[in-house]
Amino acid sequence: MKLLPALPYLDIRFFTSILLVMGLSTPGKAEITSLDTGNIEEILNNAGVALVNFYADWCRFSQMLHPIFEEASNLAREEYPDITQVVFARVDCDQHSDIAQRYRISKYPTLKMFRNGMMMKREYRGQRSVAAIADFIRQQKVDPIKEVNSLEELNKVDRSKRNIIGYFETKDSDGYHTFEKVANILRDDCVFFAAFGEVSQTERFSGDNVIFKPVGEAVPDMVFLGSLPSFDLSYAWTQDKCVPLVREITFENGEELTEEGIPFLILFHVKEDTESLEQFQQEVARQLISEKGSINFLHADCEKFRHPLLHIQKTPAECPVIAIDSFRHMYVFPEFKDLMIHGKLRQFVLDLHSGKLHREFHHGPDPTDSTPGQEDMIEVVASNPPESSFQKLAPSETRYTILSRDRDEL
């Protein structure tokens, strides 16, 4: 009988790694908890940090992730032996469609982060490798609160960022435990500081307290007036201060913002042009606060997002420019100076929701908006709006199995 030659060691390692990626080899025992309707509340509520893989067995991307997720879980268990510190879990979305529906899963695989049972807004969208996932967990375990040893340190905080400062008599208090929970949830949105004992004494004349230092040197501090031990009150107040009404869109958060599925109202501005940004923020707050939830208010760096500008026949030299991206088309606000006209920006957004912007770009002005004698000119001014630019930042079909709208109900 003719024997096949033995494979060199490196070749065996190579084929083993291929099997690992394909999911045909098990990289050791993995401690991954399968979640269902009976255990999901208890498991997540008792986990300091939980990374949950929402998957479908028929999805090839889910199949490729399984061995990587398992190996990352093994690594995390070695570094964090306490099973309540870090939990790796998974949900079979075909078997538990009710859970998938609850967390609005629209693609496979989706890796969502939970802290003490609360789902974080930002999911894991990084590289699908053992090292990258393990490093992400390490970052999540870093204490987001910086303890200050002198109040003079607080005079040097970066005022280009949003800062939350807590003054406590001791770490062993209900108020500080709530402060820790809130800081962990909003760690990506604010910078958190805390002072204790004698260091904080002069700021605790009426008891423990928390203040917010907004962006800008001349902007006054704001004091939290609610009950510090109350998580709901503390979280609501801190979120309102840390998450701005007008957020910056970048290539790093573009996928996340696009996946929210609501149109963008975007100010394109030169990075150094803070005056235009402030005007835009003020008018959005004044005219459009009731539209929050139906449209995303964003601002973007003209240079970084040069391509979408060119797409609407604008250049960075013409900034500031305001536009709407509906994920079908882009519509340009007439003139930036019109922003200050009462109700003009609001009407621009309402015209999007009513379909008027879409109709006018395709068919010309609505007859009710035409002056007498102009009806015959409608065909001349009709045009086609540019297609969406930011839709291209949505989750890619080269990384995910995207669920079509008729499967959203899972």
Side-chain angles (χ1 to χ4, degrees):
M1 182 174 70
K2 186 176 180 181
L3 296 176
L4 292 174
L7 288 172
Y9 173 70
L10 286 177
D11 287 344
I12 292 174
R13 264 204 334 185
F14 171 76
F15 284 111
T16 301
S17 65
I18 293 296
L19 291 173
L20 182 66
V21 171
M22 293 176 65
L24 301 177
S25 176
T26 303
K29 185 179 180 181
E31 296 185 32
I32 298 180
T33 303
S34 293
L35 300 179
D36 54 41
T37 53
N39 69 2
I40 188 169
E41 299 291 342
E42 180 182 359
I43 296 296
L44 296 183
N45 287 342
N46 291 316
V49 169
L51 186 62
V52 182
N53 176 17
F54 293 84
Y55 71 95
D57 278 330
W58 50 263
C59 164
R60 66 187 179 98
F61 299 112
S62 294
Q63 295 166 8
M64 293 167 66
L65 178 62
H66 282 322
I68 296 170
F69 195 69
E70 290 174 357
E71 189 66 20
S73 170
N74 291 338
L75 193 56
R77 179 62 58 242
E78 291 176 6
E79 296 185 26
Y80 306 100
D82 185 345
I83 59 173
T84 63
Q85 280 194 35
V86 175
V87 171
F88 274 64
R90 60 188 167 202
V91 174
D92 183 333
C93 293
D94 283 337
Q95 295 293 322
H96 304 288
S97 59
D98 55 332
I99 298 177
Q101 209 169 24
R102 185 196 314 177
Y103 294 110
R104 299 181 180 180
I105 303 303
S106 60
K107 64 188 185 308
Y108 301 136
T110 293
L111 296 178
K112 287 192 175 290
M113 173 65 67
F114 293 79
R115 289 184 179 277
N116 302 113
M118 186 173 184
M119 186 181 75
M120 301 296 95
K121 189 171 184 179
R122 293 183 177 89
E123 62 190 54
Y124 178 77
R125 299 175 187 270
Q127 184 181 359
R128 290 175 190 160
S129 71
V130 174
I133 294 174
D135 189 54
F136 173 74
I137 293 297
R138 292 187 195 101
Q139 292 172 17
Q140 299 306 307
K141 292 301 294 178
V142 172
D143 190 344
I145 303 172
K146 180 182 178 183
E147 182 176 347
V148 297
N149 298 311
S150 167
L151 293 184
E152 291 181 2
E153 294 179 36
L154 298 176
N155 295 327
K156 301 174 183 177
V157 298
D158 186 349
R159 294 306 296 264
S160 68
K161 298 179 179 179
R162 293 170 173 80
N163 298 282
I164 300 287
I165 304 171
Y167 301 100
F168 301 93
E169 182 178 1
T170 174
K171 291 184 180 180
D172 188 21
S173 67
D174 292 340
Y176 182 67
H177 293 328
T178 298
F179 187 75
E180 283 184 303
K181 287 183 180 180
V182 171
N184 270 303
I185 295 170
L186 296 170
R187 59 169 60 216
D188 296 324
D189 302 295
C190 263
V191 181
F192 290 84
F193 298 90
F196 304 94
E198 292 184 3
V199 176
S200 65
Q201 189 170 6
T202 58
E203 299 294 328
R204 291 188 291 105
F205 47 86
S206 59
D208 292 355
N209 71 90
V210 173
I211 68 165
F212 169 59
K213 285 185 176 293
V215 174
E217 294 289 345
V219 185
D221 297 344
M222 302 180 189
V223 181
F224 175 59
L225 299 177
S227 170
L228 287 176
S230 168
F231 173 79
D232 290 340
L233 291 177
S234 295
Y235 176 70
W237 182 84
T238 309
Q239 183 186 45
D240 179 64
K241 301 298 178 284
C242 291
V243 182
L245 183 60
V246 179
R247 294 176 286 176
E248 181 178 12
I249 184 169
T250 65
F251 290 112
E252 289 71 29
N253 67 5
E255 180 179 284
E256 170 195 327
L257 291 171
T258 303
E259 198 176 7
E260 290 181 13
I262 56 178
F264 293 170
L265 175 67
I266 312 174
L267 167 69
F268 296 92
H269 67 106
V270 176
K271 186 176 181 180
E272 294 74 22
D273 180 15
T274 57
E275 182 180 350
S276 296
L277 175 58
E278 288 176 4
Q279 291 177 354
F280 182 68
Q281 291 170 328
Q282 290 170 3
E283 291 307 312
V284 166
R286 189 163 67 96
Q287 300 185 40
L288 293 170
I289 193 68
S290 62
E291 297 302 312
K292 184 180 180 182
S294 66
I295 191 164
N296 263 324
F297 310 120
L298 306 170
H299 68 100
D301 186 323
C302 273
E303 289 295 336
K304 291 181 180 178
F305 287 91
R306 177 184 292 262
H307 178 73
L309 273 176
L310 296 176
H311 200 58
I312 56 176
Q313 300 181 345
K314 299 289 184 179
T315 67
E318 296 175 86
C319 286
V321 172
I322 298 173
I324 284 176
D325 192 318
S326 70
F327 298 148
R328 291 181 63 191
H329 298 293
M330 291 189 73
Y331 308 97
V332 183
F333 188 67
E335 297 286 345
F336 180 78
K337 59 182 175 59
D338 293 345
L339 177 69
M340 309 308 292
I341 300 176
H342 180 69
K344 188 84 171 181
L345 188 64
R346 176 176 174 78
Q347 192 59 52
F348 183 54
V349 171
L350 294 180
D351 286 348
L352 169 74
H353 293 325
S354 70
K356 183 179 178 182
L357 289 181
H358 188 75
R359 289 195 307 272
E360 289 192 341
F361 269 105
H362 281 293
H363 308 295
D366 281 355
T368 54
D369 294 337
S370 301
T371 55
Q374 286 188 327
E375 290 84 355
D376 295 336
M377 298 176 61
I378 287 178
E379 290 300 320
V380 178
V381 297
S383 62
N384 290 318
E387 292 184 355
S388 167
S389 280
F390 288 90
Q391 178 63 31
K392 297 170 186 174
L393 296 180
S396 168
E397 292 184 351
T398 63
R399 277 177 56 84
Y400 302 98
T401 298
I402 311 295
L403 301 182
S404 58
R405 289 190 179 275
D406 59 351
R407 289 198 55 164
D408 279 350
E409 294 301 316
L410 288 180

